Amino acid sequence: MTAFFSFKSITKTITLCFLSISFWIQAFDINNFDGKNAFNLGSQLIEFPLGIHMLEPSDLGSTTAIIGIHGSNSEGYEWIYPLWKLNSPSSAVYFYRWNDKDCANTSTNLLADSLKEVIKSNPELTTIKLLAHSYGGLHLLHSLSLIEEIVKNLERDIKIEIHFIASLLSPPKLLAMRCGLKDVSTSFIHLKIFNWKTIQEIDGAFRSYKNDPQELSLPNAVQTRLPEKYNGRKLGHNWSISWVADQL
């Protein structure tokens, strides 16, 4: 069932999520990744309440923010190495939890308001990179107009990068009809957009599709096809985030 939220309820949700950040940070620190505990940390990550969550207590004041946006039925483990890899003394890493059981074009205000909070909480920010995977890419795609408005109204110069990773950007017609998904083909002049596409035939999530659902019609997007292998393994759906993290 599609959920509808008033602006007041969304604001309350955001506030509660941010009040809970300190609690979650005490229990979760991305620096605890040791190369073997991705599944354990991932299960903690995906249990976060809806909203934005900072993954390291000392990240405030950074110049770059990295925001991970998960896909449908994510178990979280696929995000651990990438967010650990992208973490640095000058970077703040965040994980955005959203209701992936709902239509991707709902709750876009939650993502927009979360982005505003990240900007407000980090006065030194110069760059924000939003990384979305799988169904999360469709959620981000339908949030771009709101994000563009945020950038246009900023009082300081912040570069926004959009990274779609193995994302469902051209959904099946039945899903598009059920959710009222409209084609997004506008040129977003304030956003730098990257589309990282796996090889469809070896991507377990997309290989059964007649046409590649990762295709994106945005005129200013940089399109990159990922290689067949990553560290000796087949570069499939979930490994794609790690490969992209190594490139950024």
Side-chain angles (χ1 to χ4, degrees):
M1 179 181 294
T2 303
F4 296 91
F5 302 92
S6 67
F7 177 80
K8 183 176 181 180
S9 65
I10 290 174
T11 304
K12 183 177 180 180
T13 300
I14 291 290
T15 302
L16 290 173
C17 286
F18 272 87
L19 287 175
S20 68
I21 280 180
S22 60
F23 169 79
W24 285 105
I25 289 301
Q26 290 175 13
F28 187 96
D29 188 333
I30 196 65
N31 293 311
N32 289 331
F33 176 57
D34 62 8
K36 301 177 182 178
N37 58 351
F39 284 93
N40 178 266
L41 291 176
S43 65
Q44 297 176 44
L45 200 65
I46 211 65
E47 288 299 320
F48 286 177
L50 302 184
I52 192 84
H53 302 276
M54 188 171 63
L55 302 184
E56 183 186 25
S58 62
D59 276 343
L60 291 177
S62 300
T63 57
T64 299
I66 310 292
I67 301 174
I69 303 172
H70 64 86
S72 179
N73 297 315
S74 171
E75 296 180 30
Y77 69 86
E78 68 273 20
W79 283 100
I80 300 303
Y81 169 78
L83 294 175
W84 173 83
K85 172 72 174 180
L86 294 170
N87 191 27
S88 73
S90 61
S91 297
V93 288
Y94 294 84
F95 192 67
Y96 172 75
R97 281 281 290 115
W98 66 287
N99 183 9
D100 57 90
K101 302 295 187 293
D102 212 340
C103 289
N105 55 342
T106 61
S107 303
T108 52
N109 280 326
L110 180 59
L111 178 54
D113 288 344
S114 296
L115 182 60
K116 290 177 184 177
E117 289 293 340
V118 170
I119 294 171
K120 181 179 179 181
S121 300
N122 294 273
E124 306 301 320
L125 275 185
T126 58
T127 303
I128 299 175
K129 300 179 181 182
L130 292 103
L131 282 60
H133 181 239
S134 196
Y135 191 49
L138 193 60
H139 181 56
L140 178 58
L141 179 64
H142 286 273
S143 305
L144 291 186
S145 293
L146 293 175
I147 296 173
E148 175 94 337
E149 283 300 312
I150 291 173
V151 179
K152 285 169 58 177
N153 294 320
L154 285 176
E155 296 181 353
R156 52 194 169 109
D157 185 24
I158 298 180
K159 180 175 69 173
I160 306 288
E161 294 183 9
I162 304 295
H163 295 268
F164 296 112
I165 306 172
S167 289
L168 181 71
L169 303 175
S170 300
K173 289 184 179 180
L174 286 178
L175 176 62
M177 290 175 62
R178 180 172 67 85
C179 292
L181 298 171
K182 298 180 180 179
D183 183 50
V184 180
S185 56
T186 306
S187 179
F188 296 97
I189 62 175
H190 295 92
L191 308 176
K192 192 166 185 179
I193 300 173
F194 301 86
N195 187 23
W196 306 87
K197 302 178 288 185
T198 55
I199 298 172
Q200 184 187 358
E201 290 75 16
I202 62 174
D203 187 315
F206 297 146
R207 62 188 172 201
S208 63
Y209 284 67
K210 181 179 180 180
N211 299 310
D212 191 349
Q214 302 172 92
E215 295 303 331
L216 182 66
S217 57
L218 296 181
N220 59 331
V222 177
Q223 311 272 355
T224 301
R225 184 71 69 178
L226 276 58
E228 184 177 353
K229 291 187 178 295
Y230 172 61
N231 289 342
R233 304 181 182 92
K234 180 181 71 173
L235 210 177
H237 196 63
N238 283 347
W239 280 113
S240 60
I241 314 174
S242 294
W243 188 91
V244 170
D246 286 348
Q247 316 308 310
L248 298 181

